[in-house]
Amino acid sequence: MKKPAKDTEDTARLVGRRALILGGVQAVAVGALALRMRHMQVDEADQFRLLAEENRINMRLIPPVRGVIQDRNGRLLAGNEQNYRAVIVREDAGDVEAVLRRMAQLVPLDDDAIERVLREVRRHRPFVPVTVAERLSWEEIARIAANAPALPGITPEVGLSRIYPQAHDFAHVVGYVGAVSERDLEQQEVPDPVLQIPGFQIGKLGVERRMEHVLRGSAGSRRIEVNSVGRVMRELSRVEGTPGANVHLTIDHQLQNFARARLDGESAASVVIDLEKGDLLAIASAPSYDPNLFARGISVPDFQALLDDEYRPLVDKSVQGVYPPGSTFKMVTALAALEAGEVVPEERVFCPGHMDVSGRRFHCWKRGGHGRVNLVSALSESCDVYFYDICQRIGIERINDMAARLGLGQRFDIPMSSVASGLNPTREWKQRRRGEPWLVGDTINASIGQGFVLATPLQLAVMTARLATGRQVMPNMVRAVGGIEQARAEAPPLDIDPAHLAIIRRGMSETTNHQRGTAFGSRVVDANYRMAGKTGTSQVYSITPAERAAGTRTDAQRPWNRRNHALYVAFAPETAPRIAVSVVVEHGGGGSAVAAPIARDIALFALHGGMPPLSAYPAPQRNRIETMQREMQLRLIPQEISQRPRG
Amino acid sequence: MSYLEYTVTRTPTGLSKVLYFHWALVLLPIAVAEIGFLMLYSIAGGSLSPWAEPQMRRFALGLGVMFVTAMVPIWFWRNMAGLAYGASLVLLIWVEFFGSVGMGAQRWIDLGFMRLQPSEVAKVTLVLALAAYYDRLDVRRASRPVWVVLALLLILLPTFLVLRQPDLGTALLLLAGGAAVMFLAGVHWLYFAVVIALGVAGAVAVMMSRGTEWQLLKDYQYRRIDAFLDPSIDPLGAGYHISQSKIALGSGGWSGRGFMQGTQSRLNFLPEKHTDFIFTALAEEFGFVGGASLLLLYALILVFCVVIALQHKDRFSALLTLGVAATFFLYFMVNMAMVMGLAPVVGVPLPLVSYGGSAMLVLMFAFGLVQSAHIHRPRNRS
């Protein structure tokens, strides 16, 4: 069947017409594509190129080397240690678990650690190294390296980690570093990008925290080219960061070591301050803990043990601990009265062992009374009644004023954590906090450093330093930052009559060196090192009727945490004072029996620049002191040749 | 018996047929394929493996297929059209039950030396079948409903099977390709208006069915649609492909970043850079000049096909040539629109450039059919 030619011509024309329509549509579409392409590649090319660069280029931060912390003689207190660790890369390892099991035969690696690594590995992309074990010994690293063929994907690495060679001695002062927490980030207005580096550590406590800004340094950066999954292809450029500045403290590590060792076994604190510039030579708090545990990440049981310890090792008692200063406060009351002109040194007050004020009886610590005492003997024998008497003449305001001038109730600006301000109670304060009016009994309690008065061992040391020098000594702890000596100007005078100060000093001298002085047992016989001090025994809880009924008569019979605090403050040498020292022993009992001997040992060590000679001690005590010194020697960190310049 | 057999008189025979090839339509696909080799070499980081070399071998095979197809008289192919169509349906059903799964869809049969995608085969066999169908059908009956429905069934059968895989992109291409042949065959334009209206309604239904039990598409397909409508909603998820491909394309600029200098493709930001997104690599490295050149080559292939078709007095040959051209057009149109962010991401390769055997072999076979129609075209008895 042959179709007519016309028919085929027609159909061909129809197809042709439709083909042209379709071709036209296609031409329009191709044109649209071309236009779109032109628009993107010519008009918007710059914008897209920028986006491509952003895709490609990644900034990686290079963590800066943290500044080290040294003592006044350059001894390392916080340093950076090379730390060997092993990392695993999933894509190189193949069967990660099998590799880890093999590795567990070479280095300590328990099931929990393996589980943790497996979790981490799964969470990250296959080329991201995950730390398997940290702080490996050289032997362990060598073992891993020797068995490399059996451990595919495992690479030994070297990094820096923080180390505290003086361990317990400087835990409270220097503090420690730890992983950056959410809270750390929140506290900063503009968080340093370096904080986002995994594993970066930030100062958590003490100098490490307070001087974080100088210790940290600034991060360097690498511009790297990455592919779509973030793998580093190559480094494009590198800007080195600035390492953190080194910080020199004024503290003498040897004295600090001695002070802490001497305090060990008690819950106590001691501060030694240099009178010339206010340099803090030692700030010890016992018991202490090893900050290295924290820098490495402390285990829960270890941390719980520190929390549960009744002696509160985590608390820095030297600057955070606030205590009723007890009799060590009497210099303040006496000086206030002298300056007010309400009392003359020769005036005698009769102490019958108590004083009745507005229907209440206030006892002197000496039940039988001191008899007739003047200012100097009231200080040296620590008669309470004398101060009950004079405080009523001057009132709490003038006592507070003098306390403030001597540095009490003031938060000193030293780079330690939670520095407490203590308390100089005022009428307004009591009204506000207690809702009760100030009573004369409150003034009487305050006059002997009881009641509401609170001070830190640091403040007591500063107070003593100001009494010894007559200058407004300010404590400081930083000697140099980044090698630049910090300005520590000589303190201005206190504007207190030198004659009045001399009388106070005489009272302190007689406390320690007069036969009837409360600290006579802790005197120093070497004229070069003679001390002048003041004991204090501050009541935490008075003996309750219930205790009395149970037969408790003396403080020592009570449970530890209800006993009195023992305090002692002193300056030395007596004639040309160089240092002031304070010691507080929590619930230690009596200031003269417990605190004063400790303060003497520490002061002598500071003055002598090492274990003090036995000749400094009174002859009858030398045998006992020798035994003690031998025991102490074992507890000290062995020193190289002593570098500390004397004075 | 049709017009074809009766009017062929001076048709070349034997090897002399080679002289009657339409050489432009031989050289243009070769040029396009070479651009493909170049890009596959580049994105492999300057290496023939893993893509460029297998692609070259397949193209050589494809050229062979084209020549052999071209030498076989066009009436043979016309007579084989029904068989080929049936065979491709069998393959599509086969792949439904025994096919290998890739990317969440059943798409290919492993032949050992290559992975055969029956959906690609169906594209050509459908055009072949429709061309034969309309060649046999009296042109005056073409618009009668019964014959239109028959043609529609021819189209919808493979389309449905491909959609089941599910391969939305190829299904749409089949539909559009088939519709193009129907249009060329002279089916009344009202049908198309109705179908377009239904298509819009269907699109609405697809979007409405989302989240219900009778959801028509897979979740990932919906996400692709969302991402297309607004790539910024999820720039690292479903919108990632589109954003990254636009970045690559745009950053190419006028003359590109240079051969093997494309950061987007070299650093793996481009997804599927060797298959569906290969055009972005070309546009990134050779810029507008490179992209427009490829577009020009494609356009030239279309133009030559239309010109050849217009010369055909024979209805089968004309419809076949134009159908092949339309299918070819749809391939690169959808692919390019997709990478430029003008169409949703559907799995459609860039013809002759994308890495992949089935599409290339099928296209070369289609070009072979066009050549055969050209060589064996009826010539005037003069």
Side-chain angles (χ1 to χ4, degrees):
Chain A
M1 183 186 95
K2 189 178 167 183
K3 289 179 182 173
K6 183 170 183 308
D7 189 30
T8 60
E9 293 288 332
D10 278 352
T11 51
R13 254 203 301 283
L14 177 62
V15 170
R17 204 160 55 231
R18 291 275 170 115
L20 287 176
I21 293 171
L22 206 61
V25 170
Q26 291 175 354
V28 168
V30 168
L33 281 183
L35 280 178
R36 169 77 173 173
M37 201 153 72
R38 208 196 86 90
H39 177 67
M40 287 174 74
Q41 296 197 296
V42 180
D43 302 340
E44 292 183 337
D46 291 343
Q47 186 199 332
F48 282 116
R49 183 147 310 179
L50 200 70
L51 288 172
E53 286 296 297
E54 277 174 15
N55 259 345
R56 175 174 84 98
I57 310 288
N58 229 327
M59 296 288 283
R60 287 286 162 91
L61 293 170
I62 310 171
V65 177
R66 194 172 177 85
V68 302
I69 303 174
Q70 292 162 301
D71 88 330
R72 67 186 291 116
N73 300 316
R75 176 79 165 209
L76 199 64
L77 306 181
N80 302 308
E81 178 194 43
Q82 282 204 335
N83 161 19
Y84 296 102
R85 54 175 176 249
V87 298
I88 189 163
V89 177
R90 195 212 310 172
E91 66 178 5
D92 298 339
D95 185 349
V96 175
E97 189 164 356
V99 172
L100 290 177
R101 297 267 169 231
R102 279 200 291 278
M103 187 158 152
Q105 298 166 3
L106 299 174
V107 298
L109 200 64
D110 55 21
D111 285 351
D112 286 351
I114 290 178
E115 266 305 304
R116 178 190 64 81
V117 174
L118 285 175
R119 264 200 315 276
E120 289 259 312
V121 162
R122 271 194 295 271
R123 243 199 356 253
H124 290 100
R125 296 208 161 110
F127 55 85
V128 176
V130 169
T131 306
V132 176
E134 267 200 278
R135 292 175 199 270
L136 295 169
S137 69
W138 176 245
E139 288 74 30
E140 287 168 332
I141 279 291
R143 239 177 289 151
I144 290 171
N147 289 286
L151 302 169
I154 298 272
T155 334
E157 269 190 7
V158 183
L160 288 180
S161 62
R162 203 66 163 167
I163 183 171
Y164 301 99
Q166 302 286 316
H168 293 66
D169 286 352
F170 285 87
H172 300 114
V173 179
V174 168
Y176 49 82
V177 295
V180 182
S181 68
E182 288 299 316
R183 262 182 61 213
D184 293 329
L185 290 174
E186 281 166 19
Q187 279 169 6
Q188 312 213 324
E189 275 176 31
V190 187
D192 189 335
V194 74
L195 299 182
Q196 312 284 0
I197 298 177
F200 192 80
Q201 292 194 309
I202 187 175
K204 292 287 187 182
L205 193 78
V207 176
E208 291 275 35
R209 181 192 183 93
R210 297 287 310 278
M211 301 197 70
E212 173 72 24
H213 53 289
V214 296
L215 288 167
R216 186 189 295 162
S218 58
S221 61
R222 310 190 286 148
R223 282 173 73 237
I224 48 170
E225 187 176 273
V226 295
N227 70 1
S228 61
V229 286
R231 184 201 297 275
V232 178
M233 305 306 275
R234 63 189 165 128
E235 189 172 295
L236 299 172
S237 67
R238 191 186 181 100
V239 182
E240 293 297 343
T242 330
N246 295 347
V247 170
H248 263 76
L249 301 182
T250 60
I251 294 173
D252 179 338
H253 76 275
Q254 250 180 298
L255 181 62
Q256 176 84 2
N257 180 225
F258 180 83
R260 197 191 60 76
R262 185 68 184 81
L263 294 175
D264 236 7
E266 304 279 3
S267 174
S270 175
V271 173
V272 181
I273 187 166
D274 183 280
L275 298 185
E276 194 192 346
K277 288 173 176 168
D279 288 358
L280 290 164
L281 298 176
I283 311 181
S285 175
S288 186
Y289 57 90
D290 186 354
N292 291 303
L293 289 179
F294 284 86
R296 286 166 202 177
I298 192 164
S299 69
V300 174
D302 283 350
F303 188 60
Q304 197 57 48
L306 289 174
L307 281 180
D308 291 344
D309 193 327
E310 196 181 24
Y311 282 17
R312 295 175 300 144
L314 293 175
V315 174
D316 176 13
K317 299 173 185 101
S318 57
V319 300
Q320 296 174 28
V322 289
Y323 306 94
S327 300
T328 58
F329 192 74
K330 285 173 179 167
M331 280 88 83
V332 175
T333 312
L335 197 53
L338 283 172
E339 285 284 291
E342 294 289 345
V343 72
V344 287
E346 298 75 29
E347 184 190 338
R348 288 179 176 270
V349 169
F350 181 73
C351 166
H354 59 82
M355 178 183 257
D356 294 320
V357 180
S358 50
R360 235 184 105 189
R361 174 161 290 194
F362 293 88
H363 288 281
C364 184
W365 66 272
K366 198 171 175 183
R367 293 277 147 180
H370 288 90
R372 291 164 66 79
V373 289
N374 65 9
L375 199 153
V376 169
S377 60
L379 278 174
S380 69
E381 296 170 39
S382 207
C383 174
D384 294 338
V385 170
Y386 179 87
F387 294 94
Y388 295 162
D389 186 331
I390 63 171
C391 75
Q392 294 178 59
R393 304 183 206 169
I394 53 175
I396 188 67
E397 285 79 13
R398 278 192 272 204
I399 294 174
N400 273 339
D401 178 54
M402 183 51 69
R405 285 166 78 186
L406 292 175
L408 302 182
Q410 180 183 349
R411 181 180 285 119
F412 293 112
D413 181 29
I414 58 167
M416 288 177 70
S417 293
S418 319
V419 178
S421 61
L423 179 65
N424 295 336
T426 60
R427 291 170 197 277
E428 298 75 47
W429 174 84
K430 192 182 177 197
Q431 191 67 52
R432 196 174 63 244
R433 291 295 296 269
R434 300 272 171 127
E436 291 167 12
W438 186 267
L439 303 174
V440 67
D442 294 324
T443 310
I444 287 173
N445 274 332
S447 73
I448 59 158
Q450 291 284 167
F452 303 122
V453 186
L454 291 173
T456 65
L458 172 67
Q459 288 171 335
L460 293 176
V462 171
M463 177 191 79
T464 312
R466 290 184 179 184
L467 289 171
T469 57
R471 284 183 285 109
Q472 202 180 325
V473 177
M474 292 296 284
N476 60 67
M477 223 175 82
V478 181
R479 183 178 187 174
V481 173
I484 300 161
E485 201 85 11
Q486 301 294 290
R488 288 168 296 166
E490 177 143 320
L494 268 175
D495 193 24
I496 293 175
D497 188 343
H500 294 156
L501 281 169
I503 290 164
I504 301 293
R505 283 182 211 131
R506 217 179 86 217
M508 292 174 75
S509 173
E510 294 207 353
T511 303
T512 320
N513 301 310
H514 191 277
Q515 210 158 314
R516 297 182 61 175
T518 51
F520 184 66
S522 301
R523 69 196 177 278
V524 173
V525 295
D526 187 332
N528 290 331
Y529 296 151
R530 259 165 65 132
M531 295 167 66
K534 180 76 194 80
T535 55
T537 303
S538 67
Q539 206 169 47
V540 188
Y541 301 99
S542 48
I543 297 179
T544 60
E547 280 177 322
R548 217 175 280 283
T552 305
R553 288 289 176 272
T554 63
D555 192 48
Q557 291 170 313
R558 301 203 290 169
W560 173 78
N561 60 8
R562 295 188 72 83
R563 287 180 208 160
N564 298 334
H565 293 321
L567 297 94
Y568 189 68
V569 298
F571 60 87
E574 186 193 0
T575 43
R578 275 168 28 209
I579 59 160
V581 57
S582 69
V583 169
V584 175
V585 181
E586 282 190 341
H587 310 296
S592 49
V594 177
I598 296 175
R600 174 175 64 176
D601 291 340
I602 293 172
L604 282 175
F605 192 100
L607 292 172
H608 187 69
M611 199 60 91
L614 285 173
S615 59
Y617 294 90
Q621 300 176 6
R622 285 180 192 160
N623 276 338
R624 188 165 50 82
I625 297 292
E626 197 180 358
T627 318
M628 183 213 75
Q629 285 195 349
R630 226 176 282 124
E631 274 172 27
M632 285 291 299
Q633 204 76 55
L634 298 172
R635 277 145 69 183
L636 295 183
I637 294 178
Q639 305 293 335
E640 309 87 77
I641 308 129
S642 167
Q643 311 150 323
R644 202 180 85 79
R646 295 181 57 180
Chain B
M1 290 284 178
S2 81
Y3 177 79
L4 202 54
E5 284 108 307
Y6 288 98
T7 51
V8 173
T9 50
R10 295 200 345 236
T11 303
T13 51
L15 278 179
S16 66
K17 286 176 183 176
V18 173
L19 298 173
Y20 294 85
F21 263 82
H22 193 292
W23 283 104
L25 270 185
V26 176
L27 295 176
L28 281 169
I30 291 177
V32 171
E34 271 166 3
I35 290 178
F37 305 152
L38 207 60
M39 292 324 298
L40 290 171
Y41 177 79
S42 167
I43 58 180
S47 165
L48 285 174
S49 68
W51 299 308
E53 203 196 326
Q55 182 81 344
M56 285 172 174
R57 266 193 267 113
R58 281 195 209 114
F59 184 70
L61 181 64
L63 273 181
V65 168
M66 185 181 91
F67 272 86
V68 170
T69 311
M71 305 295 262
V72 175
I74 189 65
W75 47 84
F76 171 80
W77 292 119
R78 191 202 57 192
N79 294 340
M80 292 299 290
L83 201 61
Y85 177 80
S88 65
L89 281 187
V90 168
L91 282 177
L92 278 173
I93 293 165
W94 171 280
V95 86
E96 179 72 23
F97 294 107
F98 308 106
S100 302
V101 177
M103 308 283 287
Q106 292 186 340
R107 286 181 186 177
W108 36 266
I109 299 169
D110 206 332
L111 293 182
F113 67 97
M114 65 170 286
R115 288 163 169 184
L116 184 72
Q117 285 179 287
S119 56
E120 295 292 336
V121 177
K123 284 178 194 164
V124 171
T125 55
L126 178 62
V127 170
L128 209 54
L130 283 171
Y133 172 77
Y134 281 111
D135 182 46
R136 292 218 167 86
L137 189 67
D138 188 337
V139 72
R140 280 162 300 203
R141 292 194 205 152
S143 291
R144 290 196 186 160
V146 63
W147 299 109
V148 170
V149 167
L150 210 57
L152 267 180
L153 278 178
L154 280 178
I155 297 170
L156 288 177
L157 222 53
T159 304
F160 171 74
L161 287 170
V162 170
L163 199 57
R164 277 289 309 254
Q165 288 189 357
D167 184 349
L168 182 65
T170 308
L172 288 175
L173 286 194
L174 280 174
L175 208 59
V181 178
M182 286 176 75
F183 178 78
L184 291 164
V187 176
H188 200 279
W189 63 267
L190 259 177
Y191 285 104
F192 295 95
V194 169
V195 165
I196 286 167
L198 283 177
V200 170
V204 171
V206 160
M207 293 315 287
M208 297 283 283
S209 75
R210 185 177 194 176
T212 63
E213 276 175 22
W214 42 281
Q215 182 167 304
L216 293 171
L217 302 180
K218 293 239 166 162
D219 281 338
Y220 80 93
Q221 291 169 320
Y222 279 109
R223 279 198 298 276
R224 281 183 178 181
I225 295 172
D226 287 343
F228 161 66
L229 295 175
D230 183 8
S232 62
I233 49 171
D234 188 11
L236 292 177
Y240 179 82
H241 290 192
I242 293 176
S243 334
Q244 292 299 336
S245 104
K246 281 168 79 177
I247 289 172
L249 206 114
S251 66
W254 174 257
S255 58
R257 315 199 72 171
F259 184 51
M260 307 221 327
Q261 300 298 313
T263 60
Q264 287 284 105
S265 41
R266 203 166 44 77
L267 299 174
N268 262 329
F269 286 102
L270 289 179
E272 305 280 318
K273 59 184 177 184
H274 61 291
T275 56
D276 294 356
F277 284 85
I278 195 165
F279 183 71
T280 52
L282 172 75
E284 186 186 22
E285 298 195 349
F286 296 105
F288 179 71
V289 175
S293 302
L294 183 65
L295 198 59
L296 184 68
L297 292 177
Y298 281 149
L300 283 176
I301 291 177
L302 288 185
V303 168
F304 281 117
C305 280
V306 172
V307 168
I308 293 171
L310 289 179
Q311 292 167 357
H312 287 316
K313 300 282 187 290
D314 165 36
R315 195 164 154 76
F316 174 73
S317 300
L319 287 177
L320 179 67
T321 306
L322 288 170
V324 166
T327 304
F328 184 74
F329 162 78
L330 286 167
Y331 261 114
F332 77 80
M333 173 72 200
V334 171
N335 180 282
M336 285 188 176
M338 168 179 89
V339 300
M340 289 179 202
L342 293 173
V345 175
V346 287
V348 176
L350 191 63
L352 300 178
V353 179
S354 284
Y355 180 78
S358 300
M360 171 172 275
L361 284 179
V362 165
L363 265 176
M364 293 308 282
F365 171 68
F367 284 125
L369 291 176
V370 172
Q371 293 286 1
S372 171
H374 180 70
I375 295 164
H376 303 97
R377 69 184 181 277
R379 288 168 171 80
N380 293 332
R381 313 160 199 252
S382 54

